[in-house]
Amino acid sequence: MMSSDAMPAARLPVTVVIPVRNEESNLPRCLAALTAFAEVIVIDSGSTDRTQVIAREAGARVIDFVWNGGFPKKRNWVLMNERLSHPWVLFLDADEFVTPEFCDALRSTLADTSHVGFWLNYTNHFLGQRLRHGIPQRKLALFKIGSGFYERIEEASWSSLDMEIHEHPVLVGSVGEITAPIEHNDDRGILKFIDRHRDYAKWEAHRYRLLVAAGEEGWAHLTQRQRTKYRNLPKWWYPFAYGIYQYIIKRGILDGHAGFQYAFYKIWYFNSIRLLIKL
């Protein structure tokens, strides 16, 4: 008989949802790290590579998604239309990889918590190097089913982004934090990075205009970090202030060449949004 110490731990009562499109290079590593989770769903929007084959071979449930250009996008659509088998949902990107330390932290935290959601921390990689400094990346990507949805934003095909990227979940209840980080390492190269941030910039410019048109009501549910960002996006100095904060104040300079290039691209990104707002 297997000793109690050797017994495998029960699966985490979490449904992991991974929105994808042509993610055959990142998805195998992402899925391989999810053995501790009770359910994994891959929601795919028309991949033409082996994404769906890889997901099914790993035992994930695959759902096809067709976006109509408006509300809802992938994550809200899953919350609104699919039966998730466990009380918690973790939204993960294909280039995000959970670690044993993260799973251990989740296991001890979820066993006894009054929170309905958790901020998660990420360790970014850029140009093949792990970034140990700079502005920390956090996302509210783990929450209880039924505690809320991602922000509802009435957009009309602003970009090709068919899943919520910069929309935040709006939850009813208190929110905690898991400090053990998730690794974020897109393996598809700098061209994909630039393409992705071009779409992000287009989307953010539209979002800014919508917020301005909505007045105070549109700003009511924004986090403090969102308010700071949107209030300053059209200002000429904001991209440079962000870059200096990233590179000097938060010590991105200690990450060497990758840290410099990352700060430079952040300046380019925020300046792109500013120029698009003024079009």
Side-chain angles (χ1 to χ4, degrees):
M1 178 180 292
M2 185 180 292
S3 70
S4 58
D5 289 343
M7 291 285 286
R11 297 284 181 89
L12 288 162
V14 178
T15 295
V16 182
V17 176
I18 311 170
V20 296
R21 178 169 52 201
N22 292 331
E23 286 284 359
E24 65 177 4
S25 62
N26 287 314
L27 195 57
R29 182 182 169 195
C30 176
L31 293 171
L34 297 176
T35 56
F37 292 84
E39 182 178 36
V40 178
I41 294 175
V42 171
I43 176 165
D44 180 48
S45 45
S47 287
T48 55
D49 62 5
R50 296 189 69 255
T51 291
Q52 290 207 8
V53 174
I54 291 167
R56 289 195 174 93
E57 287 178 349
R61 179 154 67 100
V62 177
I63 299 171
D64 289 304
F65 176 77
V66 178
W67 187 42
N68 65 6
F71 180 87
K73 293 182 175 181
K74 277 180 181 170
R75 289 173 173 165
N76 271 332
W77 186 88
V78 165
L79 293 171
M80 296 165 64
N81 293 285
E82 288 295 321
R83 181 182 178 278
L84 307 183
S85 303
H86 301 277
W88 295 87
V89 59
L90 168 62
F91 285 100
L92 207 61
D93 293 342
D95 59 358
E96 295 171 349
F97 315 110
V98 302
T99 62
E101 292 76 19
F102 174 81
C103 294
D104 289 344
L106 222 55
R107 192 178 301 283
S108 60
T109 301
L110 297 186
D112 181 23
T113 181
S114 59
H115 295 309
V116 301
F118 288 91
W119 287 99
L120 306 182
N121 290 275
Y122 298 80
T123 300
N124 283 322
H125 295 244
F126 189 64
L127 299 178
Q129 178 182 324
R130 184 179 187 185
L131 300 180
R132 300 179 184 279
H133 306 279
I135 299 172
Q137 182 186 354
R138 298 201 315 160
K139 288 196 285 188
L140 181 50
L142 171 68
F143 49 91
K144 272 189 174 177
I145 307 293
S147 63
F149 294 92
Y150 283 83
E151 297 169 277
R152 177 167 186 146
I153 299 173
E154 302 297 345
E155 67 174 276
S157 302
W158 288 350
S159 71
S160 64
L161 301 170
D162 65 354
M163 75 168 179
E164 297 81 354
I165 301 293
H166 295 152
E167 297 95 326
H168 282 242
V170 180
L171 306 181
V172 178
S174 64
V175 174
E177 180 178 5
I178 304 289
T179 56
I182 292 172
E183 295 287 326
H184 177 210
N185 186 6
D186 190 345
D187 198 29
R188 295 176 300 174
I190 192 64
L191 280 177
K192 286 290 184 184
F193 179 88
I194 294 171
D195 286 346
R196 194 167 64 244
H197 281 76
R198 188 172 55 191
D199 263 352
Y200 294 169
K202 288 167 58 181
W203 189 90
E204 288 284 25
H206 282 288
R207 175 80 193 276
Y208 173 81
R209 293 195 197 100
L210 192 67
L211 281 170
V212 170
E216 289 188 10
E217 184 181 349
W219 296 74
H221 67 274
L222 297 184
T223 65
Q224 186 55 50
R225 191 165 178 169
Q226 285 179 305
R227 289 169 185 267
T228 301
K229 178 178 73 173
Y230 287 115
R231 281 181 177 143
N232 292 310
L233 277 178
K235 297 173 180 170
W236 69 267
W237 51 264
Y238 184 66
F240 304 99
Y242 190 99
I244 291 170
Y245 188 65
Q246 164 77 23
Y247 191 59
I248 304 296
I249 307 299
K250 301 301 289 185
R251 302 191 302 169
I253 191 172
L254 298 180
D255 285 319
H257 175 71
F260 173 78
Q261 294 296 344
Y262 190 74
F264 180 83
Y265 269 110
K266 283 294 185 182
I267 294 172
W268 167 81
Y269 168 62
F270 284 114
N271 195 52
S272 298
I273 298 171
R274 188 179 73 88
L275 295 175
L276 288 167
I277 286 172
K278 293 180 179 302
L279 282 179

